[in-house]
Amino acid sequence: MSHEVAVLLALFVVFVSAQFGAEIAQRLKMPGVVGEIAAGCLIGPSVLNWVHIDQPLEMLAEIGAVLLLFSVGLETRLADLKKVGRAAATVGVLGVLLPFVIGGAWASMNGFDTPRALFVAVAFVATSAGITARVLQELGVLDQLESKVIMGAAVIDDILAMLLLGVVTALQGGGSVNLTHLLLVMLQAVGFVVLIALAGTRIMRHSSDLLEAPINPRSPLTLSLALCLGLAAAAAYLGLAAIIGAFLAGMAVAETRQRETLERQLKPIEALLVPFFFVITGANIKLAELASAEALTTLLVITVLAIVSKLVGCGIGAWSMGFR
C-alpha cells in the first residue's frame, strides 16, 4: 500500500469512527466528545490497531483543536469576560493551587521523592480547555455566565501550569530554579494575553472594513483564519498552549461586524477537522498500562482526587456566584 493511500485510509477511518462514536454517545445522553475519545481508544494501537499515530494525524488533531478554540472565542466577547474577571481569576488560581497540593501530598504519601512528587502535582493541575470548550459548545451554554468564568479561568490555568512545569522541570534535572527567567516568561505570557485581549479586540472593533477588502469572496474567513493560526503560533512560541492564542484570536474577531457570518462559515470546517483532535486523544491512550488490578486501583484513586480537588478548588473560587 502506498503512503498516500495509507494516509487517506487513516483519515477515513478516524473521521467515520468519530461520527459513529459521537452518535452513540449522544444517544446515551452523553456529550459527543466522550464517544469520539472512546472511538479513538477502540481504533488505536491499544485495541484494534487500525490507526497508527503519525505526523499527518497529529497535525490535523492540532489544527482541529485550534479551530475549536477559535470558534469558542468567536462566541466570547471581551465585555463579557471583563464582567467575570475577578471570579475567573479566583477560580483559575484556586483551581491550580488545591489540585497541586493534593497531588503532591498523594505522591509523597506513596513514596515519591520531592522532585517526582512535584511532577505528579503538576499533572493534577493540567486540564484540557479543548474538551471543556467542546462540551460547553455541545450543551449550547457558551453564552452563560458560568461558561465565561470557565474559559477565563482556563487561560489563567494555562499560564500558571506553564510556570509550575518550568519550576518542576528544573528540579527534575537537578538544577536550580532561575526566578528571573520564570518572571520574564510569566510577564511575556501575561503581556501577550492582555495585549491581544485589550488592544487586539479594540483594533478589530474599528477595523471591520479590513476584513472585507476585495481579495476574494471569502476574505473575512480567510483573513480571520490567518489571524487564528498566527496567534496560535505566537502563543506556542511563548510556551502557552496554541489553543490559547486561537481563543484570543476568536475573541478579537468577535468584535467585528462579520462575527455571525464567520460563525456560519466556520461550522463546516469545524465538522471536518475538530473530531480528529478527540479521536487522536483517545488513540494515544495506552490501555495496556492499565492491565493490572494495582494500576486500575491507582488510576481510580488519582481520578477521584483530581476531580474532587478541581471541583472544590474552583468551587471555592466561584462561591460568590452562589452554590448552584
Side-chain angles (χ1 to χ4, degrees), residues 123-322:
F124 270 63
V125 167
T127 56
S128 173
I131 293 177
T132 304
R134 175 68 178 276
V135 172
L136 293 174
Q137 194 177 57
E138 286 191 14
L139 293 174
V141 296
L142 277 173
D143 60 337
Q144 299 295 317
L145 180 68
E146 293 83 358
S147 298
K148 308 299 182 187
V149 173
I150 291 171
M151 296 312 300
V155 176
I156 295 168
D157 184 297
D158 194 66
I159 294 174
L160 295 178
M162 175 192 64
L163 294 173
L164 286 173
L165 186 60
V167 173
V168 171
T169 301
L171 293 175
Q172 287 276 41
S176 60
V177 178
N178 188 331
L179 294 178
T180 303
H181 174 70
L182 285 176
L183 180 60
L184 179 61
V185 170
M186 183 183 72
L187 290 176
Q188 286 178 334
V190 172
F192 173 75
V193 172
V194 172
L195 178 65
I196 302 303
L198 297 181
T201 51
R202 179 172 297 181
I203 291 171
M204 295 303 295
R205 190 181 304 125
H206 295 94
S207 305
S208 295
D209 293 340
L210 294 178
L211 293 181
E212 296 178 347
I215 300 175
N216 63 55
R218 291 193 178 273
S219 287
L221 178 63
T222 55
L223 293 175
S224 297
L225 289 177
L227 178 65
C228 168
L229 294 174
L231 290 183
Y237 177 78
L238 292 174
L240 293 167
I243 55 177
I244 298 300
F247 173 73
L248 293 171
M251 197 169 68
V253 175
E255 301 294 326
T256 66
R257 295 192 301 270
Q258 296 85 0
R259 175 189 179 189
E260 293 183 2
T261 301
L262 289 169
E263 287 180 350
R264 289 195 304 270
Q265 292 177 340
L266 195 61
K267 288 188 182 301
I269 306 175
E270 277 189 89
L272 173 64
L273 294 175
V274 171
F276 282 92
F277 171 66
F278 299 106
V279 175
I280 299 305
T281 296
N284 275 313
I285 297 174
K286 298 178 180 179
L287 295 178
E289 301 290 338
L290 307 174
S292 68
E294 181 183 1
L296 288 173
T297 301
T298 301
L299 173 65
L300 178 61
V301 171
I302 289 177
T303 300
V304 171
L305 288 176
I307 291 173
V308 171
S309 60
K310 275 288 184 185
L311 183 64
V312 174
C314 295
I316 294 173
W319 193 258
S320 62
M321 300 172 63

Side-chain angles (χ1 to χ4, degrees), residues 10-176:
L11 297 180
F12 169 77
V13 171
V14 170
F15 186 74
V16 172
S17 300
Q19 307 314 308
F20 276 109
E23 180 70 20
I24 293 171
Q26 288 169 346
R27 287 179 181 272
L28 295 175
K29 308 300 181 182
M30 294 187 293
V33 62
V34 174
E36 292 172 355
I37 294 175
C41 290
L42 181 63
I43 67 173
S46 292
V47 184
L48 297 176
N49 200 28
W50 287 354
V51 172
H52 298 279
I53 310 303
D54 55 14
Q55 189 174 15
L57 287 177
E58 288 180 342
M59 288 304 302
L60 277 177
E62 181 72 15
I63 293 172
V66 164
L67 287 176
L68 171 62
L69 267 293
F70 178 68
S71 171
V72 171
L74 271 176
E75 299 183 50
T76 307
R77 305 297 291 268
L78 178 61
D80 296 331
L81 283 185
K82 284 182 176 179
K83 293 177 183 177
V84 299
R86 180 175 297 179
T90 309
V91 169
V93 171
L94 292 181
V96 165
L97 183 60
L98 189 60
F100 183 82
V101 172
I102 296 295
W106 175 87
S108 295
M109 290 171 59
N110 283 271
F112 289 82
D113 58 24
T114 299
R116 287 176 173 78
L118 290 174
F119 190 81
V120 172
V122 172
F124 270 63
V125 167
T127 56
S128 173
I131 293 177
T132 304
R134 175 68 178 276
V135 172
L136 293 174
Q137 194 177 57
E138 286 191 14
L139 293 174
V141 296
L142 277 173
D143 60 337
Q144 299 295 317
L145 180 68
E146 293 83 358
S147 298
K148 308 299 182 187
V149 173
I150 291 171
M151 296 312 300
V155 176
I156 295 168
D157 184 297
D158 194 66
I159 294 174
L160 295 178
M162 175 192 64
L163 294 173
L164 286 173
L165 186 60
V167 173
V168 171
T169 301
L171 293 175
Q172 287 276 41
S176 60

